[in-house]
Amino acid sequence: MSVPSLAVVLLVAAVASAYPGSSHAVCNSQSSLTLIYQNNLNASDDSNHVSAIILDPMPARNAQTACGAINESLLTQATIQNYTTDFTDTLAYLDYTYGTGPAYLVDNAVVTLQDQSLSYAASNSAQRNLPVLCTQSDRETQPPNSTASASNLVTVAAAGNTYIGYHNQKSFRFAGIRYANTPERFEYSKVYSGTGETINATAYGSQCLQGGGGSEDCLFLNIQTPYIPKAGSSNNLRPVYFWIHGGGFTGGTGADPGTDGGNLASREDIVVVTINYRLSTLGFLAIPDSPIKGNYGIGDQINALKWTVANIAKFGGDPKRITIAGSSAGAGSVRTLLGSPPAIGLFQGAQADSNLGGGVDLGLDGNYGTTYSSYLTINESYTRGGFPVLNATNCTSGSTTQQIACLRTANATTLISGNDIPRYVVQDGTIVTTPKLDVTARNGTSAYVPIMFGVAANDGASFSTLSPTPVANLSEGLQTGLSINASAADAIIASGLFPFYSSGNLTLDAFNVTQRVATDNTFRCIDQATVYAGAVTHTFPATYYYQFERSIDGYNPNNLSPELIQGPRSPNYPNGNPHAPYFKLHGSTGDWIFGNFYGRPLRDETDLWSLQLTSGYFAEFVRSGQPNMREEALRVRGAAYAKTLEAVRTQGSWGAVQGEAGPVRFLDWPARSGGFVDVEQCRWLNYSLSYYVDGGS
């Protein structure tokens, strides 16, 4: 057991002060806590709104004390009147969804919602117990500005421990929760077994060791929730969004601010869980004919899921409504978990964003993308990454047993350094038992849950190369951009399927062709084939597919100019024109899924409307297994949801994939539905829509 940090000691002392009579009393022992905030996702507007905490029904004489127990006070009539629209809309939603209200106790009054308006009466007129409206005093919105203090702590008992979290303007937050015991190197983790502890969950735990630092002691998860149920209650539990970060299985963290769950939790009334898992050699080394079978990082994800299933109800989440989701390597993880025997049954839906999967033999990234959908054998993985690790650590001598013993004590940073390191999901026989996810038959090897797959329109622009010097012709540009030889480049040109459009900049125009080939080859074709097969063979109860037509920034190894990844700039669009052509890069979609636009100015009002609509689609899939939001649920939520309601009414529904016509949902403002993209191009690349139905070859 490590010695507690000064911060932990001070926070435990703060809890004792906040909850007299116990050094670790739980905040929900007498009542549930619901944090309400009318979140329109416009970060620049956050200061114009206020949040509050609702407690369970009680006599008026107890209300002030109950608010004081969480370091808050009864909300005043003046505050409600200053933010009448916010309170009218949020209380209407709660009454519509959970039957809360319509009357609430506030300071010296009862406020009642009726016909979308509020009325007031003296609190001594209350003839029955009523829910209580308390202040929520922290005006910070998101990390890093949002931090714990003695005044905003919340404590929850779960898994035999007491967890100290905090609340801010948008959600209750618990960070750095250890979901597994500190792992032994090259051993599968085990669900955390510690009990009887008071645990500081106000700061993120260490990221897993990667190029930018981290630790081998890194198996932590984070929870953002709008609701903490009364201890012992399972009423009104919210659906759970379980997010797995990307980063090529060599980087990333569950603490990424771009995928922080605070906005999604508050706007969509769901619980968000983000996790760390072991990476590169420490997470994926596999050695033939040895106990080192690989997939340790995937095993970590499964244990994080197990911890979540066992404990998320204590934090307001429904363990029977968990959707696993991720982008890039996180999407590859989702694909893996869909077919992993120990994971099946732990989740009820799956979203995979920008899943790599294809890689026809054009020399593109050494067919790197195929390893996310066609799993290497242990021998194949070892050949690619195991030998380089042995050489780098000087662990080449002796028997396999001696080599493993050497690796167990080798410098951790050396283990994860270099280009040729293990980062591949492998067929280990337990976590992964098939060469690829079976998307063509309900034979028990794949989870029978709704799935949603999709790509960014130009995912491949992040995986092809813009020549640093001017190119002489298209063939030269293709060779540079795709790392292919002249004959492969000429074959692409001769196909006529990837046409060249001249803007006067030959180098950039050639790159535009290469990014389309790379997008099809590595992302689009394999993912369209996946959802098509899953739909027509009924492997999954429903499959949905999308393409992002709006984004900003993203993974930009070519250092493309802001105008190329945000839209051309002009006096009317000083931050870029989202309606003009620009590249929608890999890694640019998380902002839209999570409703996060921090640190960036809106290009125009349609960015905000698109953000609201898109995050709503994804959250509705978490809520109901399909993405189409209910009109009445949006209507009662008022002005902050008006543009989303307009879109639902006017832009058509998002249908499940039925066959060769799709549909595909193109995420933009406005959103629209259409057919699968680049079908002929995919067929030419040997990834037709029927790729899996025809045997995957």
Side-chain angles (χ1 to χ4, degrees), residues 12 197 217 222 251 319 337 371 390 394 431 466 468 489 492 564 607 673 688:
V12 171
E197 302 174 2
D217 183 12
N222 316 295
L337 294 173
T371 62
L390 288 175
N394 293 317
I431 295 174
L466 175 64
I492 292 172
L564 289 175
D607 265 347
S673 290
S688 68

Side-chain angles (χ1 to χ4, degrees), residues 223-546:
I223 301 169
Q224 289 83 44
T225 177
Y227 172 67
I228 299 173
K230 181 179 178 179
S233 172
S234 58
N235 293 333
N236 299 330
L237 298 179
R238 275 57 165 174
V240 179
Y241 196 48
F242 183 95
W243 180 260
I244 305 168
H245 70 75
F249 291 128
T250 62
T253 169
D256 186 338
T259 54
D260 181 89
N263 270 323
L264 199 59
S266 69
R267 179 169 174 87
E268 297 298 339
D269 194 27
I270 65 176
V271 176
V272 179
V273 176
T274 62
I275 70 168
N276 295 345
Y277 56 94
R278 283 176 287 178
L279 303 166
S280 61
T281 303
L282 297 168
F284 293 92
L285 176 66
I287 299 177
D289 302 318
S290 83
I292 311 301
K293 301 296 184 183
N295 292 340
Y296 301 107
I298 305 299
D300 296 339
Q301 296 170 10
I302 294 171
N303 278 332
L305 263 173
K306 289 179 177 178
W307 190 97
T308 300
V309 170
N311 299 293
I312 200 62
K314 306 294 186 182
F315 299 88
D318 188 343
K320 296 181 180 178
R321 284 193 295 167
I322 296 175
T323 295
I324 58 172
S327 187
S328 194
S333 299
V334 169
R335 191 182 186 104
T336 301
L337 294 173
L338 276 166
S340 175
I344 293 173
L346 298 176
F347 56 91
Q348 290 70 47
Q351 292 178 1
D353 177 65
S354 292
N355 170 66
L356 296 91
V360 173
D361 191 11
L362 297 173
L364 178 63
D365 288 325
N367 296 344
Y368 166 66
T370 60
T371 62
Y372 288 82
S373 62
S374 297
Y375 307 125
L376 301 178
T377 66
I378 290 177
N379 282 333
E380 290 169 337
S381 174
Y382 184 68
T383 299
R384 292 194 185 198
F387 283 131
V389 168
L390 288 175
N391 290 330
T393 54
N394 293 317
C395 291
T396 55
S397 301
S399 64
T400 299
T401 300
Q402 291 170 320
Q403 291 173 350
I404 292 172
C406 178
L407 290 172
R408 290 190 190 278
T409 59
N411 178 271
T413 301
T414 303
L415 283 173
I416 58 104
S417 299
N419 294 322
D420 298 319
I421 53 176
R423 55 185 177 188
Y424 307 108
V425 175
V426 298
Q427 301 171 50
D428 67 287
T430 302
I431 295 174
V432 176
T433 59
T434 57
K436 60 185 69 174
L437 175 66
D438 188 347
V439 295
T440 60
R442 281 192 61 192
N443 58 10
T445 63
S446 299
Y448 187 64
V449 300
I451 66 169
M452 180 189 288
F453 277 57
V455 298
N458 311 108
D459 262 315
S462 303
F463 290 82
S464 50
T465 301
L466 175 64
S467 176
T469 57
V471 300
N473 51 56
L474 177 58
S475 179
E476 182 182 326
L478 289 173
Q479 293 174 58
T480 300
L482 298 173
S483 300
I484 56 178
N485 59 33
S487 61
D490 292 342
I492 292 172
I493 296 170
S495 74
L497 294 171
F498 303 93
F500 172 86
Y501 298 98
S502 177
S503 70
N505 183 334
L506 177 60
T507 303
L508 183 60
D509 294 339
F511 175 76
N512 192 34
V513 178
T514 67
Q515 68 83 21
R516 182 175 178 181
V517 176
T519 299
D520 285 347
N521 196 41
T522 306
F523 296 92
R524 181 183 288 130
C525 298
I526 202 72
D527 285 349
Q528 291 184 161
T530 295
V531 296
Y532 170 80
V536 300
T537 64
H538 306 290
T539 300
F540 307 105
T543 68
Y544 296 88
Y545 189 77
Y546 62 85

